[in-house]
Amino acid sequence: MLLEVAGLDVRYGRTRAVRGMDLTLDSGEIVTVLGANGAGKTSLLKALQGIVRLAAGRIRFDGADVTGWSAPRRVRGGLTLVPEGRQIFVSLTVHENLQMGAYSRSDPVDAEIEEIYDRFPNLAARRDMSASVLSGGEQQMLAISRALLSKPKLLMLDEPSLGLSPLLVIELFDLIKALNRDGLSILLVEQNTHMALQAAHRGYVLELGAAVISGTPEDLVNEEQKLEAAYLGGG
Amino acid sequence: MDVLLQQVVNGLMLGGVYVMVAVAFTLVIGMLNFLNFTIPALFMVAAVMMWAAMAGGFGADIDAVLDDVLGAPNKWIAGVIIALVVVSLASLVIERFTYRYMKAKYGDATEHALPLVSSLGFLIAFEHLVIGRWGSDPLTIDSPFGNASFHLGAVQFSIPQVISLALSLAIVFGLSLMLRKTRLGRAVRSIAERPDTATLMGVDVGRIVPVVYVIAGLLCAIAGILFTINYTTVDAYIGDKVATVAIAGMVLGGLGNVWGAIVGGLFVGLLEVLSIHFFGASIVKVPIWGMLLLILVMRPTGLFGHTAIGKGKF
C-alpha cells in the first residue's frame, strides 16, 4: 500500500472540514475523490501534503508514518501536490518555474527538463519568458510538469480540469493516464465526475468531510442517486 | 562649476550608503511585504560598534587588548568584525520576534501590522540600549585612513569614499545576481510571490526567511561601518536619519525592486548634498520628502516598480 490514511480529521476553528476519513491507494493506481464544493476534498489533499494541520488521524506513505512530517519533507519523500488554480509563479520565467519544481532534489535535472520541453513544445518556445504569458492550458501543463520534476511517487491533483476547454480537458486526462501507465500513482480530486471516473481505478465520494461511497467506478455509477445527492449537498 | 561638480561627487558617495540601506528595506518588503523598522537600528548598531572599537568605547580593558592584538591604527578591523557579528545575531533574534512567533501564533503575520509594530519596538529598544551605554551626544573618531584622496581636475575624491561606493555597488550587484541566478534566489522570489506554493515545491520557508533577514542586516551593517569610517561622527539616532532618507530613495525606485533601490539611493544622496549646497542644511529634509510626496501622488509605483504596495516584485 503506497498511501494509507486512517481517521483523518481537519478542523478550521469549529468547522470540521474532514471527519474520520479513511483512504488507501495502491502503487500504480489512479484514485479519484469526488464531491460537491465544500465537501472537504481540497482540505484532504492539503492535509496529505502537510500544509494544514491534522486534528486527528494517521498518514502512512511509502512505508513510513509521515503524520509528523513537514510539507517540504513530504515533497522530498515523494508526495507532491498540484494545487487548485495551478499557482504558477508569474514573476519567474517558465524555465525557472520548472527549476523550482526540482527544488527538493540535489541531482541534475537538466535532461528531465529537456524531456518536458520535448513533450510540451509550447513551454519550450516560451522558456525564458515570464510564465504569465502562458494560456490556461499551458499553465496547467507547466504546473503538472513542475510537480513531476520533484520526482513524485504519488502525484496529487486538485481540480486540474477547472477552467479548461473541453478539448484541453481531454488532452489533460490523456496526460494523466499516460503518466499512470508509466508507473506514477495519482490521487485526483475532480469536479468533472465523468472524466474522473473514466480515468480512475477506484474512487471515493465525499460529503460534508466524510466518505459516503467508495469503490470501483462501476460501483460509484451504480450508486448514482447517492452520488447526485452528494453533489447537491442534500445527503 | 567645480564646486558644483564636487557636490555631485559627494552626493553620489553619500548615495552609496543609502543604496545599501534601501536595498535592505526592499529585500524584506519584496519578500514578506513588511517595512522592517529594525533596519535603521541595525545600521546604527553597526556604526556605533565601529566607533566603539576605534574610540575605546568598550572600556579600557578591551581597548588595551585591541591595542595589543591589532595595534592602534588597525582597530577598525575589530570594529568591522564586531559590527558584522553583532548585527547578524541581532537579525536572527529580530526574525524570531517580528516573523516566526507571529506566524506561529497568527498564521500569515505579514497580513497584519504586527511585524511593523514589533520592529518599531526593536528600533526604540536598540537606540535606548546605545544611549544607556554611551549617551545621546555625537560620538566621533579620527578617520583611520586620514585624508587619503586624489584629484581629477579640480574635483577631490576621498579614497575611502570611492572604495566605499565601489564596494556598496559591488555588493548590491552581487545580491541582484544571487536573486536572479541561484537556487536560493529563486526560492526567495517564489516566496515573495506565493509562499504557500513555494512550500509545495519543498522550500522550507522557515529556513529561508532568517537567511534573508541576515542578508538585509549585513547590508545595513556594511553601510553603517562605511558611514562611520567616512563621516566619523555617529550617534544613537543616526539610523533614523539615514534610513528615513533611504526609504525615500527606495520608494522613488519602486518597492521591492533592487535596481530601483540603487537608482533611488544614489538620487537621494545627490539630492541631499545639492539641497544643502543650494538651500542650506536646515531645510534639507524638505526637498527629499517633498520629492517623495510628489512621487507618491504622481507615480506611486516609483520609477521602476510594478505595484505600489505588494509582494513579489524582484
Side-chain angles (χ1 to χ4, degrees):
Chain A
M1 203 61 71
L2 183 63
L3 179 71
E4 237 180 312
V5 178
L8 187 134
D9 259 31
V10 177
R11 284 178 205 167
Y12 304 111
R14 283 198 197 120
T15 316
R16 284 178 80 190
V18 180
R19 28 181 115 197
M21 178 80 188
D22 298 329
L23 183 147
T24 58
L25 188 147
D26 249 327
S27 239
E29 266 192 313
I30 300 180
V31 170
T32 186
V33 176
L34 307 170
N37 274 331
K41 308 185 298 291
T42 295
S43 296
L44 171 69
L45 291 191
K46 283 181 171 175
L48 292 177
Q49 185 65 64
I51 50 181
V52 298
R53 221 172 282 175
L54 298 189
R58 308 299 297 174
I59 303 168
R60 282 188 69 79
F61 176 69
D62 198 25
D65 185 337
V66 303
T67 312
W69 290 17
S70 70
R73 188 166 173 207
R74 291 186 203 192
V75 175
R76 287 192 294 275
L79 192 58
T80 301
L81 170 66
V82 180
E84 186 179 345
R86 343 214 192 285
Q87 300 195 9
I88 60 164
F89 299 110
V90 295
S91 60
L92 272 59
T93 66
V94 169
H95 193 71
E96 286 173 332
N97 267 276
L98 293 174
Q99 286 175 313
M100 278 312 295
Y103 184 86
S104 58
R105 295 169 57 184
S106 47
D107 53 326
V109 293
D110 290 355
E112 282 169 54
I113 292 183
E114 287 311 318
E115 277 173 33
I116 282 168
Y117 285 147
D118 289 342
R119 191 171 215 158
F120 304 112
N122 284 351
L123 297 185
R126 294 168 178 74
R127 57 187 291 164
D128 293 320
M129 293 181 208
S130 157
S132 61
V133 304
L134 300 181
S135 69
E138 289 165 349
Q139 288 191 5
Q140 187 61 65
M141 296 308 156
L142 178 61
I144 292 174
S145 303
R146 187 177 63 176
L148 290 176
L149 280 162
S150 70
K151 241 185 181 163
K153 297 187 179 100
L154 173 61
L155 185 70
M156 299 189 285
L157 298 162
D158 194 356
E159 307 274 9
S161 75
L162 204 70
L164 297 186
S165 70
L167 208 62
L168 282 170
V169 172
I170 292 170
E171 218 171 279
L172 170 77
F173 275 88
D174 285 346
L175 173 67
I176 291 171
K177 285 183 260 187
L179 291 172
N180 178 250
R181 273 196 301 276
D182 294 342
L184 185 63
S185 311
I186 293 171
L187 183 60
L188 174 67
V189 158
E190 256 302 343
Q191 295 265 4
N192 192 329
T193 316
H194 174 69
M195 292 299 285
L197 287 176
Q198 220 174 49
H201 302 107
R202 287 190 303 117
Y204 293 81
V205 178
L206 285 195
E207 195 186 317
L208 298 174
V212 288
I213 328 167
S214 65
T216 63
E218 294 75 34
D219 295 340
L220 300 193
V221 172
N222 290 340
E223 302 223 37
E224 211 178 335
Q225 280 187 326
K226 261 187 168 176
L227 192 62
E228 270 172 24
Y231 270 83
L232 295 171
Chain B
M1 188 61 209
D2 287 344
V3 177
L4 193 63
L5 210 56
Q6 181 71 57
Q7 296 300 340
V8 169
V9 169
N10 293 349
L12 290 176
M13 300 296 169
L14 179 60
V17 171
Y18 292 142
V19 165
M20 282 210 277
V21 180
V23 168
F25 270 119
T26 225
L27 197 58
V28 184
I29 286 189
M31 180 154 118
L32 300 173
N33 201 16
F34 161 36
L35 184 59
N36 184 353
F37 275 112
T38 61
I39 281 171
L42 295 173
F43 175 88
M44 181 273 292
V45 166
V48 170
M49 290 297 112
M50 196 67 188
W51 163 83
M54 286 195 282
F58 293 123
D61 295 345
I62 292 177
D63 197 43
V65 173
L66 293 181
D67 268 336
D68 282 350
V69 177
L70 294 167
N74 294 325
K75 281 195 282 191
W76 63 273
I77 297 171
V80 171
I81 295 168
I82 294 168
L84 295 180
V85 170
V86 168
V87 167
S88 301
L89 295 177
S91 300
L92 291 175
V93 173
I94 290 165
E95 188 270 337
R96 279 183 157 59
F97 285 94
T98 59
Y99 180 77
R100 180 162 307 195
Y101 298 152
M102 301 283 181
K103 187 171 167 64
K105 198 159 165 44
Y106 300 104
D108 188 1
T110 60
E111 299 295 322
H112 308 280
L114 286 170
L116 183 93
V117 176
S118 52
S119 77
L120 264 176
F122 269 107
L123 171 60
I124 293 163
F126 276 115
E127 286 177 349
H128 285 265
L129 280 175
V130 167
I131 291 170
R133 179 70 177 79
W134 291 297
S136 56
D137 291 335
L139 310 165
T140 60
I141 54 155
D142 296 324
S143 167
F145 306 109
N147 291 321
S149 62
F150 63 88
H151 285 81
L152 276 182
V155 180
Q156 187 185 18
F157 289 84
S158 146
I159 290 173
Q161 281 192 13
V162 171
I163 294 173
S164 299
L165 179 62
L167 187 64
S168 31
L169 291 180
I171 288 171
V172 172
F173 282 122
L175 179 75
S176 168
L177 212 61
M178 185 278 278
L179 283 172
R180 290 267 134 236
K181 298 289 179 198
T182 67
R183 182 169 176 269
L184 173 65
R186 282 192 295 274
V188 169
R189 284 152 58 212
S190 69
I191 294 172
E193 188 182 331
R194 293 173 176 277
D196 293 343
T197 311
T199 307
L200 294 181
M201 306 292 115
V203 178
D204 193 339
V205 178
R207 279 173 65 174
I208 304 281
V209 169
V211 171
V212 172
Y213 267 73
V214 170
I215 291 173
L218 288 176
L219 286 169
C220 305
I222 295 166
I225 289 165
L226 296 176
F227 186 90
T228 303
I229 289 178
N230 288 315
Y231 300 102
T232 65
T233 302
V234 299
D235 62 49
Y237 297 116
I238 192 68
D240 298 5
K241 292 169 202 160
V242 169
T244 47
V245 178
I247 289 179
M250 172 192 65
V251 174
L252 173 69
L255 295 180
N257 184 309
V258 172
W259 297 100
I262 296 175
V263 174
L266 290 175
F267 184 83
V268 288
L270 208 55
L271 185 63
E272 178 172 340
V273 169
L274 291 178
S275 305
I276 293 173
H277 178 70
F278 286 112
F279 310 119
S282 53
I283 62 156
V284 62
K285 297 285 184 195
V286 176
I288 290 172
W289 291 96
M291 173 215 69
L292 181 68
L293 293 178
L294 265 182
I295 289 279
L296 286 177
V297 171
M298 298 175 63
R299 195 177 159 82
T301 59
L303 296 178
F304 309 102
H306 303 299
T307 51
I309 299 286
K311 295 200 273 187
K313 306 164 298 297
F314 285 116

